[in-house]
Amino acid sequence: MKLSHFNFNLPKELLAEFPAENRDESRLMVIDRQKNTIEHKMFKDVINYFDDGDVLILNNTKVFPARLYGNKEKTGARIEVFLLRELNSEQRLWDVLVDPARKIRIGNKLYFGDDDSLVAEVIDNTTSRGRTLRFLYDGSYEEFRNKLTELGETPIPKYINRDVTPEDAERYQTIYAKEEGAVAAPTAGLHFSKHLLKKLEIKGVNFAEVTLHVGLGTFNPVEVEDLSKHKMDSEELIITQKACDIVNEGKAKRKRICAVGTTSMRAIESSVSSANTLNPYEGWTNKFIFPPHDFSIANCMITNFHTPKSTLLMMISAFCGHDLMKKAYEEAIKEGYKFYSYGDAMLIL
């Protein structure tokens, strides 16, 4: 399959700027791959598709306030610094993206906060917008991290053309987020409310938690027509023995194993045994899933509606079947479903 197979016209007004008023009251499109059918529901109706012993695989990564604004020494120019990953905690080295990048060179210093209490020095170039920064801060590591949290803001996606609100800090985070380290939310999970999770639990549904720290690589545009030549950025992944036991038991009993989100799907597909069971894993993954792909663990998935030519859309095509996915997306546009991070959801059975 080629990149051009994943292009479509997405009306601007369908990109969600704000989340639904209540988490579980966004819309839900239900696709049945065997029956080749499409139904329109509310997200809270998802409970009707799961029973005792079924498994939901959740990505429990937690988004940290990764976007900072600083001023360049001498000129005072306002610079956006997007924290990608910590390279060395002792030396306070971070991989970041800077904007506007053309103004930022090795040796420059950036000052953050009204009192300039945090300073960073540019020590390397990594990509066109990427830099390595060394943060200079008088205080313990814990105080330094608290300072980053205090000065940073919720990294809602760039296409959301508005200021960050206090509400974003809560809503751009799943209610089961635990392990800090993501710079973007695993958005399919945003639809679950505490009430809905409780109802699923009472029904006997099991939850297996994995941790995939979502980086910006997930959203990097694919710039090659031949998909096999696209390289994904690596993201940190942890799959515990406990999660494996829950998933493999469900699988052995032929239950529904549902990956909640493309990040959960990529996590589990990165650590499959020769017997098609889930293995524990701790490390990094750069797995890129595109058609054709044989999925080993999950037999259904929950996901949001993705933008044209994205690696996320390619995974959905591989799981759903390309023609059915295209039909579903045409229907979603016609019916006014909201797309992307704060948008509506899809359940693929």
Side-chain angles (χ1 to χ4, degrees):
M1 298 213 80
K2 303 254 190 306
L3 177 63
S4 46
H5 290 137
F6 297 93
N7 201 12
F8 62 93
N9 285 326
L10 179 58
K12 265 224 156 56
E13 65 272 15
L14 295 186
L15 285 173
E17 294 262 318
F18 290 93
E21 194 174 337
N22 297 312
R23 284 182 185 268
D24 56 15
E25 288 183 352
S26 47
R27 295 167 74 189
L28 178 71
M29 179 184 279
V30 181
I31 298 175
D32 190 313
R33 293 177 293 172
Q34 284 185 317
K35 296 180 187 160
N36 214 31
T37 56
I38 296 173
E39 292 181 288
H40 305 287
K41 304 281 185 182
M42 296 288 283
F43 191 81
K44 55 189 175 190
D45 298 329
V46 85
I47 192 158
N48 300 325
Y49 297 90
F50 294 97
D51 280 312
D52 187 29
D54 289 341
V55 179
L56 290 180
I57 301 171
L58 310 175
N59 182 5
N60 66 11
T61 188
K62 189 174 186 179
V63 180
F64 66 92
R67 191 174 276 129
L68 304 171
Y69 292 96
N71 297 97
K72 191 179 166 188
E73 64 178 337
K74 296 185 182 135
T75 66
R78 180 173 151 99
I79 306 292
E80 179 190 311
V81 172
F82 195 101
L83 302 172
L84 289 178
R85 63 174 70 106
E86 186 174 48
L87 299 173
N88 184 309
S89 56
E90 279 176 36
Q91 295 181 33
R92 297 178 189 176
L93 294 183
W94 282 75
D95 253 348
V96 305
L97 295 177
V98 292
D99 194 20
R102 65 184 186 281
K103 295 185 174 179
I104 302 301
R105 298 192 171 87
I106 293 172
N108 287 160
K109 283 206 170 103
L110 300 169
Y111 293 85
F112 302 91
D114 296 338
D115 55 356
D116 295 344
S117 55
L118 183 65
V119 182
E121 184 181 4
V122 182
I123 62 169
D124 200 6
N125 297 329
T126 51
T127 60
S128 57
R129 284 181 56 214
R131 303 289 183 270
T132 302
L133 296 188
R134 176 183 285 118
F135 283 97
L136 312 168
Y137 181 72
D138 290 332
S140 67
Y141 178 70
E142 193 179 344
E143 288 166 332
F144 162 64
R145 287 304 297 247
N146 288 342
K147 179 57 77 172
L148 285 184
T149 301
E150 176 198 322
L151 294 172
E153 66 177 36
T154 304
I156 60 171
K158 273 281 198 216
Y159 80 86
I160 296 181
N161 205 1
R162 60 170 174 81
D163 290 337
V164 173
T165 65
E167 182 194 36
D168 287 314
E170 184 224 339
R171 290 301 301 270
Y172 195 62
Q173 195 83 272
T174 63
I175 57 165
Y176 47 78
K178 289 191 186 90
E179 306 294 337
E180 193 171 80
V183 299
T187 54
L190 298 180
H191 303 284
F192 286 93
S193 62
K194 284 197 169 107
H195 184 61
L196 179 57
L197 278 182
K198 195 73 201 162
K199 281 170 76 174
L200 284 159
E201 193 185 322
I202 290 165
K203 212 172 174 189
V205 175
N206 295 315
F207 304 106
E209 294 187 13
V210 297
T211 306
L212 180 81
H213 290 317
V214 190
L216 284 186
T218 300
F219 309 101
N220 276 352
V222 180
E223 290 169 338
V224 286
E225 184 65 8
D226 178 354
L227 300 185
S228 65
K229 294 194 165 50
H230 177 69
K231 293 281 183 285
M232 292 283 280
D233 281 3
S234 290
E235 295 171 319
E236 196 174 358
L237 169 62
I238 299 159
I239 301 174
T240 62
Q241 184 64 55
K242 182 183 174 189
C244 294
D245 293 344
I246 294 167
V247 169
N248 293 335
E249 186 185 344
K251 210 169 173 262
K253 291 179 176 171
R254 298 178 176 267
K255 297 292 185 180
R256 273 204 167 137
I257 312 292
C258 183
V260 177
T262 56
T263 61
S264 296
M265 185 66 90
R266 195 157 73 257
I268 59 179
E269 285 294 306
S270 297
S271 189
V272 179
S273 75
S274 55
N276 279 352
T277 55
L278 188 60
N279 274 345
Y281 185 83
E282 190 161 343
W284 295 78
T285 179
N286 62 352
K287 190 159 192 70
F288 173 33
I289 298 172
F290 60 96
H293 180 85
D294 287 330
F295 290 83
S296 304
I297 307 291
N299 50 26
C300 61
M301 80 180 289
I302 293 169
T303 186
N304 277 25
F305 289 90
H306 307 293
T307 46
K309 294 185 178 178
S310 61
T311 58
L312 310 171
L313 184 63
M314 291 161 193
M315 182 194 291
I316 301 314
S317 163
F319 190 75
C320 185
H322 193 71
D323 292 341
L324 185 54
M325 182 274 290
K326 277 186 75 170
K327 183 176 153 194
Y329 269 59
E330 281 161 17
E331 180 116 348
I333 290 167
K334 192 177 93 200
E335 295 288 332
Y337 275 74
K338 292 290 190 185
F339 277 65
Y340 216 36
S341 300
Y342 275 152
D344 294 314
M346 176 188 274
L347 169 63
I348 307 170
L349 300 170

